[in-house]
Amino acid sequence: MKAIVILLLISSSAFAGDASYLSFNLASYHLDRADAARQNLSEFNPGIGIERESGEWRQMAGVYRNSIRRTSLYALAGYIPLHSGRLSFGLVGGAVTGYQIPIAPAVGLIASLQFDRFGLNLIMVPDAHVMHKEVNGFAGLQVRYRLR
């Protein structure tokens, strides 16, 4: 079922824009190391997604194995107004599933390094209280491949 969702996203005209990318979630690094060890959080978080980039705006959606070893779906919008050479910086926000809250809000900072076809996304999410639940802040790493 999840593979069908990803294929639909990849082929969707809603993701037609200036550039489209296939993104691969790789890893996370939890900022509170003691809490990450206490909860036995996984920092290997494989997944796949699609990105659409149009000017300073991004749409991102995909699926990955989260730190509590569950499958998560995510949908994010990003505003990336700062650029310096191959580096870009901005904000992302949206929703994610697969945690203690069925559909949780997701907000963070994004830094991207883009080469010709390949690039990296680093997404930083701070520690937070969401609906009476603690969210352990983390940095997530993605590799992305430009489709067009």
Side-chain angles (χ1 to χ4, degrees), residues 56-113:
E56 295 179 342
W57 294 95
R58 281 194 198 165
Q59 295 171 335
M60 307 163 78
V63 60
Y64 65 98
R65 187 79 169 162
N66 69 30
S67 298
I68 57 175
R69 295 168 182 84
R70 294 183 186 160
T71 300
S72 286
L73 299 172
Y74 66 91
L76 303 171
Y79 177 61
I80 322 293
L82 304 173
H83 307 279
S84 178
R86 296 179 184 273
L87 287 170
S88 299
F89 303 92
L91 303 168
V92 292
V96 64
T97 68
Y99 294 93
Q100 292 87 353
I101 302 163
I103 300 176
V107 177
L109 302 173
I110 186 169
S112 293
L113 175 63

Short mmCIF file of all heavy atoms in Angstrom, two decimals, residues 56-113:
data_model
loop_
_atom_site.label_atom_id
_atom_site.label_comp_id
_atom_site.label_asym_id
_atom_site.label_seq_id
_atom_site.Cartn_x
_atom_site.Cartn_y
_atom_site.Cartn_z
N GLU A 56 11.25 29.53 -4.16
CA GLU A 56 11.65 29.40 -2.76
C GLU A 56 10.76 28.44 -1.97
O GLU A 56 10.91 28.28 -0.77
CB GLU A 56 11.66 30.77 -2.10
CG GLU A 56 12.71 31.68 -2.70
CD GLU A 56 12.73 33.07 -2.07
OE1 GLU A 56 11.74 33.46 -1.43
OE2 GLU A 56 13.74 33.74 -2.25
N TRP A 57 9.83 27.77 -2.65
CA TRP A 57 8.88 26.88 -1.99
C TRP A 57 9.16 25.42 -2.31
O TRP A 57 9.57 25.09 -3.42
CB TRP A 57 7.45 27.24 -2.40
CG TRP A 57 7.07 28.59 -1.91
CD1 TRP A 57 7.15 29.76 -2.60
CD2 TRP A 57 6.59 28.92 -0.62
NE1 TRP A 57 6.75 30.80 -1.81
CE2 TRP A 57 6.39 30.31 -0.57
CE3 TRP A 57 6.29 28.16 0.52
CZ2 TRP A 57 5.92 30.97 0.55
CZ3 TRP A 57 5.83 28.82 1.65
CH2 TRP A 57 5.64 30.21 1.65
N ARG A 58 8.91 24.55 -1.33
CA ARG A 58 9.05 23.10 -1.52
C ARG A 58 7.83 22.38 -0.97
O ARG A 58 7.25 22.80 0.02
CB ARG A 58 10.26 22.57 -0.77
CG ARG A 58 11.54 22.81 -1.46
CD ARG A 58 12.63 21.96 -0.85
NE ARG A 58 13.92 22.52 -1.24
CZ ARG A 58 15.05 22.22 -0.67
NH1 ARG A 58 15.08 21.36 0.33
NH2 ARG A 58 16.16 22.74 -1.08
N GLN A 59 7.52 21.27 -1.61
CA GLN A 59 6.55 20.31 -1.09
C GLN A 59 7.30 19.00 -0.96
O GLN A 59 8.02 18.60 -1.89
CB GLN A 59 5.38 20.15 -2.05
CG GLN A 59 4.56 21.40 -2.21
CD GLN A 59 3.54 21.27 -3.33
OE1 GLN A 59 3.72 20.47 -4.24
NE2 GLN A 59 2.47 22.04 -3.25
N MET A 60 7.12 18.33 0.16
CA MET A 60 7.83 17.08 0.43
C MET A 60 6.84 16.07 1.00
O MET A 60 6.04 16.41 1.87
CB MET A 60 8.95 17.34 1.44
CG MET A 60 9.89 18.47 1.05
SD MET A 60 10.89 19.08 2.43
CE MET A 60 12.12 17.79 2.52
N ALA A 61 6.90 14.84 0.53
CA ALA A 61 6.04 13.78 1.06
C ALA A 61 6.76 12.45 0.91
O ALA A 61 7.54 12.25 -0.03
CB ALA A 61 4.71 13.74 0.32
N GLY A 62 6.51 11.55 1.86
CA GLY A 62 7.15 10.25 1.76
C GLY A 62 6.84 9.35 2.94
O GLY A 62 5.95 9.62 3.73
N VAL A 63 7.63 8.30 3.04
CA VAL A 63 7.47 7.28 4.08
C VAL A 63 8.85 6.90 4.59
O VAL A 63 9.82 6.89 3.82
CB VAL A 63 6.70 6.06 3.51
CG1 VAL A 63 7.43 5.42 2.35
CG2 VAL A 63 6.39 5.05 4.59
N TYR A 64 8.96 6.61 5.89
CA TYR A 64 10.25 6.18 6.46
C TYR A 64 10.01 5.35 7.71
O TYR A 64 8.92 5.33 8.27
CB TYR A 64 11.15 7.38 6.77
CG TYR A 64 10.62 8.28 7.85
CD1 TYR A 64 11.08 8.18 9.15
CD2 TYR A 64 9.66 9.25 7.57
CE1 TYR A 64 10.59 9.00 10.15
CE2 TYR A 64 9.17 10.08 8.56
CZ TYR A 64 9.64 9.95 9.84
OH TYR A 64 9.15 10.77 10.83
N ARG A 65 11.04 4.68 8.15
CA ARG A 65 11.02 3.92 9.41
C ARG A 65 11.50 4.87 10.50
O ARG A 65 12.64 5.32 10.47
CB ARG A 65 11.94 2.70 9.29
CG ARG A 65 11.87 1.78 10.45
CD ARG A 65 10.64 0.93 10.35
NE ARG A 65 10.71 -0.14 11.32
CZ ARG A 65 9.66 -0.82 11.70
NH1 ARG A 65 8.50 -0.56 11.16
NH2 ARG A 65 9.77 -1.76 12.58
N ASN A 66 10.63 5.20 11.46
CA ASN A 66 10.99 6.23 12.43
C ASN A 66 11.86 5.69 13.57
O ASN A 66 12.19 4.50 13.61
CB ASN A 66 9.74 6.98 12.92
CG ASN A 66 8.83 6.12 13.79
OD1 ASN A 66 9.26 5.21 14.49
ND2 ASN A 66 7.55 6.43 13.74
N SER A 67 12.20 6.56 14.48
CA SER A 67 13.13 6.22 15.56
C SER A 67 12.55 5.25 16.58
O SER A 67 13.30 4.63 17.32
CB SER A 67 13.60 7.49 16.26
OG SER A 67 14.30 8.30 15.35
N ILE A 68 11.23 5.13 16.62
CA ILE A 68 10.63 4.13 17.52
C ILE A 68 10.22 2.89 16.73
O ILE A 68 9.38 2.11 17.17
CB ILE A 68 9.46 4.72 18.34
CG1 ILE A 68 8.37 5.32 17.46
CG2 ILE A 68 9.98 5.74 19.34
CD1 ILE A 68 7.14 5.81 18.21
N ARG A 69 10.83 2.75 15.57
CA ARG A 69 10.74 1.55 14.73
C ARG A 69 9.32 1.30 14.19
O ARG A 69 8.88 0.17 14.07
CB ARG A 69 11.28 0.34 15.48
CG ARG A 69 12.76 0.47 15.77
CD ARG A 69 13.25 -0.57 16.76
NE ARG A 69 14.67 -0.38 17.05
CZ ARG A 69 15.13 0.48 17.95
NH1 ARG A 69 14.32 1.23 18.66
NH2 ARG A 69 16.44 0.61 18.13
N ARG A 70 8.64 2.39 13.88
CA ARG A 70 7.33 2.31 13.24
C ARG A 70 7.42 2.99 11.88
O ARG A 70 8.31 3.80 11.63
CB ARG A 70 6.27 3.04 14.07
CG ARG A 70 5.98 2.41 15.40
CD ARG A 70 4.88 3.17 16.10
NE ARG A 70 4.67 2.70 17.45
CZ ARG A 70 4.07 3.40 18.38
NH1 ARG A 70 3.61 4.62 18.11
NH2 ARG A 70 3.91 2.91 19.59
N THR A 71 6.46 2.68 11.02
CA THR A 71 6.39 3.33 9.71
C THR A 71 5.71 4.68 9.86
O THR A 71 4.66 4.78 10.51
CB THR A 71 5.62 2.45 8.72
OG1 THR A 71 6.32 1.21 8.60
CG2 THR A 71 5.52 3.11 7.35
N SER A 72 6.32 5.72 9.30
CA SER A 72 5.76 7.06 9.33
C SER A 72 5.56 7.58 7.92
O SER A 72 6.39 7.35 7.04
CB SER A 72 6.70 8.04 10.06
OG SER A 72 6.68 7.83 11.44
N LEU A 73 4.47 8.29 7.72
CA LEU A 73 4.22 9.05 6.51
C LEU A 73 4.40 10.52 6.86
O LEU A 73 4.05 10.94 7.96
CB LEU A 73 2.80 8.82 5.99
CG LEU A 73 2.43 7.39 5.62
CD1 LEU A 73 0.93 7.31 5.31
CD2 LEU A 73 3.24 6.91 4.45
N TYR A 74 4.95 11.31 5.92
CA TYR A 74 5.10 12.73 6.18
C TYR A 74 4.66 13.54 4.97
O TYR A 74 4.74 13.08 3.83
CB TYR A 74 6.53 13.10 6.57
CG TYR A 74 7.55 12.91 5.48
CD1 TYR A 74 7.88 13.96 4.61
CD2 TYR A 74 8.21 11.71 5.31
CE1 TYR A 74 8.82 13.79 3.60
CE2 TYR A 74 9.15 11.52 4.31
CZ TYR A 74 9.45 12.57 3.46
OH TYR A 74 10.38 12.40 2.47
N ALA A 75 4.17 14.74 5.25
CA ALA A 75 3.83 15.72 4.23
C ALA A 75 4.27 17.07 4.78
O ALA A 75 3.83 17.48 5.87
CB ALA A 75 2.34 15.72 3.93
N LEU A 76 5.16 17.73 4.08
CA LEU A 76 5.74 19.00 4.54
C LEU A 76 5.69 20.04 3.44
O LEU A 76 5.79 19.71 2.26
CB LEU A 76 7.20 18.82 4.96
CG LEU A 76 7.51 17.80 6.04
CD1 LEU A 76 9.02 17.60 6.16
CD2 LEU A 76 6.93 18.25 7.37
N ALA A 77 5.60 21.29 3.85
CA ALA A 77 5.79 22.42 2.95
C ALA A 77 6.98 23.18 3.49
O ALA A 77 7.17 23.28 4.71
CB ALA A 77 4.56 23.30 2.91
N GLY A 78 7.80 23.71 2.60
CA GLY A 78 8.98 24.44 3.04
C GLY A 78 9.09 25.78 2.36
O GLY A 78 8.69 25.95 1.20
N TYR A 79 9.62 26.75 3.10
CA TYR A 79 9.95 28.06 2.56
C TYR A 79 11.45 28.22 2.73
O TYR A 79 11.96 28.21 3.85
CB TYR A 79 9.18 29.15 3.31
CG TYR A 79 9.53 30.55 2.84
CD1 TYR A 79 9.30 30.93 1.52
CD2 TYR A 79 10.07 31.47 3.72
CE1 TYR A 79 9.61 32.21 1.08
CE2 TYR A 79 10.38 32.76 3.30
CZ TYR A 79 10.14 33.12 1.98
OH TYR A 79 10.46 34.39 1.55
N ILE A 80 12.17 28.30 1.61
CA ILE A 80 13.63 28.27 1.61
C ILE A 80 14.14 29.58 0.97
O ILE A 80 14.51 29.60 -0.20
CB ILE A 80 14.17 27.05 0.81
CG1 ILE A 80 13.32 25.80 1.03
CG2 ILE A 80 15.64 26.81 1.10
CD1 ILE A 80 13.33 25.21 2.39
N PRO A 81 14.16 30.68 1.73
CA PRO A 81 14.49 31.98 1.12
C PRO A 81 15.97 32.34 1.11
O PRO A 81 16.36 33.28 0.40
CB PRO A 81 13.72 32.96 2.00
CG PRO A 81 13.76 32.33 3.35
CD PRO A 81 13.66 30.84 3.09
N LEU A 82 16.79 31.64 1.88
CA LEU A 82 18.20 32.03 2.01
C LEU A 82 19.08 31.11 1.16
O LEU A 82 19.02 29.89 1.29
CB LEU A 82 18.62 31.96 3.47
CG LEU A 82 17.78 32.79 4.45
CD1 LEU A 82 18.19 32.51 5.87
CD2 LEU A 82 17.87 34.27 4.11
N HIS A 83 19.93 31.73 0.33
CA HIS A 83 20.78 30.96 -0.58
C HIS A 83 22.19 31.54 -0.56
O HIS A 83 22.37 32.76 -0.56
CB HIS A 83 20.23 31.01 -2.00
CG HIS A 83 18.80 30.60 -2.09
ND1 HIS A 83 18.40 29.29 -2.11
CD2 HIS A 83 17.66 31.33 -2.14
CE1 HIS A 83 17.08 29.23 -2.18
NE2 HIS A 83 16.61 30.46 -2.19
N SER A 84 23.17 30.65 -0.57
CA SER A 84 24.57 31.05 -0.65
C SER A 84 25.30 29.96 -1.44
O SER A 84 25.61 28.90 -0.91
CB SER A 84 25.18 31.19 0.75
OG SER A 84 26.54 31.52 0.65
N GLY A 85 25.52 30.23 -2.72
CA GLY A 85 26.13 29.22 -3.57
C GLY A 85 25.25 28.00 -3.67
O GLY A 85 24.08 28.09 -4.01
N ARG A 86 25.78 26.84 -3.32
CA ARG A 86 25.04 25.58 -3.38
C ARG A 86 24.19 25.33 -2.13
O ARG A 86 23.44 24.37 -2.06
CB ARG A 86 26.01 24.42 -3.56
CG ARG A 86 26.75 24.47 -4.88
CD ARG A 86 27.71 23.27 -4.97
NE ARG A 86 28.52 23.32 -6.16
CZ ARG A 86 28.15 22.83 -7.34
NH1 ARG A 86 26.96 22.26 -7.47
NH2 ARG A 86 28.94 22.91 -8.37
N LEU A 87 24.31 26.19 -1.12
CA LEU A 87 23.59 26.02 0.14
C LEU A 87 22.30 26.83 0.16
O LEU A 87 22.27 27.95 -0.33
CB LEU A 87 24.46 26.48 1.31
CG LEU A 87 25.62 25.57 1.70
CD1 LEU A 87 26.54 26.28 2.69
CD2 LEU A 87 25.10 24.28 2.30
N SER A 88 21.26 26.24 0.76
CA SER A 88 19.98 26.92 0.94
C SER A 88 19.49 26.64 2.36
O SER A 88 19.72 25.55 2.90
CB SER A 88 18.94 26.41 -0.05
OG SER A 88 19.36 26.65 -1.36
N PHE A 89 18.79 27.63 2.95
CA PHE A 89 18.30 27.51 4.32
C PHE A 89 16.87 28.01 4.41
O PHE A 89 16.51 28.97 3.73
CB PHE A 89 19.17 28.35 5.27
CG PHE A 89 20.62 27.99 5.24
CD1 PHE A 89 21.48 28.66 4.38
CD2 PHE A 89 21.12 26.99 6.05
CE1 PHE A 89 22.83 28.34 4.34
CE2 PHE A 89 22.47 26.66 6.00
CZ PHE A 89 23.32 27.34 5.15
N GLY A 90 16.07 27.36 5.27
CA GLY A 90 14.70 27.82 5.45
C GLY A 90 13.97 27.04 6.52
O GLY A 90 14.57 26.44 7.40
N LEU A 91 12.64 27.05 6.41
CA LEU A 91 11.75 26.43 7.37
C LEU A 91 10.88 25.38 6.69
O LEU A 91 10.52 25.55 5.52
CB LEU A 91 10.82 27.48 7.98
CG LEU A 91 11.48 28.66 8.67
CD1 LEU A 91 10.46 29.75 8.97
CD2 LEU A 91 12.15 28.20 9.95
N VAL A 92 10.52 24.33 7.41
CA VAL A 92 9.56 23.35 6.92
C VAL A 92 8.50 23.12 7.99
O VAL A 92 8.76 23.28 9.18
CB VAL A 92 10.23 22.00 6.55
CG1 VAL A 92 11.12 22.14 5.33
CG2 VAL A 92 10.98 21.40 7.71
N GLY A 93 7.32 22.76 7.53
CA GLY A 93 6.24 22.46 8.47
C GLY A 93 5.21 21.58 7.79
O GLY A 93 5.06 21.61 6.57
N GLY A 94 4.53 20.78 8.58
CA GLY A 94 3.51 19.90 8.03
C GLY A 94 3.04 18.91 9.06
O GLY A 94 2.85 19.26 10.23
N ALA A 95 2.90 17.67 8.64
CA ALA A 95 2.37 16.62 9.52
C ALA A 95 3.12 15.32 9.30
O ALA A 95 3.66 15.06 8.22
CB ALA A 95 0.89 16.42 9.25
N VAL A 96 3.14 14.49 10.35
CA VAL A 96 3.79 13.18 10.31
C VAL A 96 2.95 12.19 11.11
O VAL A 96 2.28 12.56 12.07
CB VAL A 96 5.24 13.28 10.85
CG1 VAL A 96 5.27 13.67 12.31
CG2 VAL A 96 6.01 12.00 10.62
N THR A 97 2.96 10.94 10.69
CA THR A 97 2.24 9.87 11.40
C THR A 97 3.24 8.90 12.01
O THR A 97 4.44 8.98 11.76
CB THR A 97 1.32 9.10 10.44
OG1 THR A 97 2.14 8.36 9.52
CG2 THR A 97 0.38 10.01 9.69
N GLY A 98 2.71 7.95 12.80
CA GLY A 98 3.55 6.86 13.29
C GLY A 98 4.13 7.04 14.67
O GLY A 98 4.92 6.22 15.11
N TYR A 99 3.73 8.09 15.37
CA TYR A 99 4.25 8.32 16.72
C TYR A 99 3.11 8.18 17.73
O TYR A 99 2.05 7.67 17.39
CB TYR A 99 4.92 9.71 16.78
CG TYR A 99 6.16 9.77 15.92
CD1 TYR A 99 6.09 10.21 14.60
CD2 TYR A 99 7.39 9.36 16.41
CE1 TYR A 99 7.22 10.26 13.80
CE2 TYR A 99 8.53 9.40 15.61
CZ TYR A 99 8.44 9.85 14.32
OH TYR A 99 9.56 9.88 13.53
N GLN A 100 3.31 8.66 18.96
CA GLN A 100 2.28 8.51 19.99
C GLN A 100 1.01 9.29 19.64
O GLN A 100 -0.07 8.96 20.11
CB GLN A 100 2.81 8.99 21.35
CG GLN A 100 3.89 8.10 21.93
CD GLN A 100 5.29 8.48 21.45
OE1 GLN A 100 5.47 9.32 20.59
NE2 GLN A 100 6.29 7.83 22.00
N ILE A 101 1.14 10.32 18.84
CA ILE A 101 0.01 11.11 18.37
C ILE A 101 -0.28 10.64 16.94
O ILE A 101 0.64 10.61 16.12
CB ILE A 101 0.37 12.61 18.38
CG1 ILE A 101 0.76 13.02 19.80
CG2 ILE A 101 -0.78 13.45 17.86
CD1 ILE A 101 1.50 14.33 19.87
N PRO A 102 -1.51 10.25 16.62
CA PRO A 102 -1.79 9.68 15.29
C PRO A 102 -1.32 10.54 14.12
O PRO A 102 -0.68 10.04 13.21
CB PRO A 102 -3.31 9.52 15.29
CG PRO A 102 -3.68 9.40 16.72
CD PRO A 102 -2.70 10.27 17.47
N ILE A 103 -1.64 11.82 14.15
CA ILE A 103 -1.13 12.76 13.13
C ILE A 103 -0.56 13.94 13.90
O ILE A 103 -1.31 14.69 14.53
CB ILE A 103 -2.22 13.22 12.15
CG1 ILE A 103 -2.80 12.02 11.42
CG2 ILE A 103 -1.66 14.24 11.18
CD1 ILE A 103 -3.96 12.35 10.50
N ALA A 104 0.75 14.07 13.89
CA ALA A 104 1.43 15.10 14.68
C ALA A 104 1.91 16.24 13.80
O ALA A 104 2.34 16.01 12.66
CB ALA A 104 2.61 14.47 15.41
N PRO A 105 1.88 17.45 14.34
CA PRO A 105 2.47 18.56 13.60
C PRO A 105 3.99 18.39 13.57
O PRO A 105 4.57 17.81 14.48
CB PRO A 105 2.06 19.79 14.40
CG PRO A 105 1.79 19.28 15.78
CD PRO A 105 1.32 17.87 15.61
N ALA A 106 4.60 18.88 12.51
CA ALA A 106 6.06 18.81 12.37
C ALA A 106 6.56 20.17 11.89
O ALA A 106 6.07 20.69 10.89
CB ALA A 106 6.43 17.73 11.35
N VAL A 107 7.51 20.75 12.63
CA VAL A 107 8.07 22.05 12.29
C VAL A 107 9.57 21.99 12.52
O VAL A 107 10.03 21.42 13.52
CB VAL A 107 7.46 23.17 13.16
CG1 VAL A 107 8.10 24.51 12.85
CG2 VAL A 107 5.96 23.23 12.98
N GLY A 108 10.35 22.56 11.60
CA GLY A 108 11.79 22.57 11.80
C GLY A 108 12.50 23.49 10.82
O GLY A 108 11.88 24.19 10.02
N LEU A 109 13.81 23.45 10.91
CA LEU A 109 14.69 24.19 10.00
C LEU A 109 15.24 23.22 8.97
O LEU A 109 15.43 22.03 9.27
CB LEU A 109 15.84 24.83 10.78
CG LEU A 109 15.45 25.78 11.90
CD1 LEU A 109 16.69 26.20 12.68
CD2 LEU A 109 14.74 26.99 11.33
N ILE A 110 15.53 23.72 7.79
CA ILE A 110 16.13 22.87 6.75
C ILE A 110 17.34 23.58 6.16
O ILE A 110 17.33 24.79 5.94
CB ILE A 110 15.11 22.50 5.65
CG1 ILE A 110 15.72 21.49 4.67
CG2 ILE A 110 14.57 23.73 4.96
CD1 ILE A 110 14.73 20.86 3.70
N ALA A 111 18.38 22.79 5.94
CA ALA A 111 19.56 23.24 5.20
C ALA A 111 19.76 22.25 4.07
O ALA A 111 19.70 21.04 4.29
CB ALA A 111 20.79 23.28 6.11
N SER A 112 19.96 22.76 2.87
CA SER A 112 20.16 21.90 1.70
C SER A 112 21.46 22.25 1.01
O SER A 112 21.81 23.43 0.89
CB SER A 112 19.02 22.06 0.70
OG SER A 112 17.82 21.57 1.24
N LEU A 113 22.15 21.22 0.56
CA LEU A 113 23.35 21.37 -0.25
C LEU A 113 23.07 20.65 -1.55
O LEU A 113 22.81 19.44 -1.55
CB LEU A 113 24.55 20.75 0.47
CG LEU A 113 25.88 20.71 -0.29
CD1 LEU A 113 26.37 22.13 -0.58
CD2 LEU A 113 26.91 19.93 0.50
#
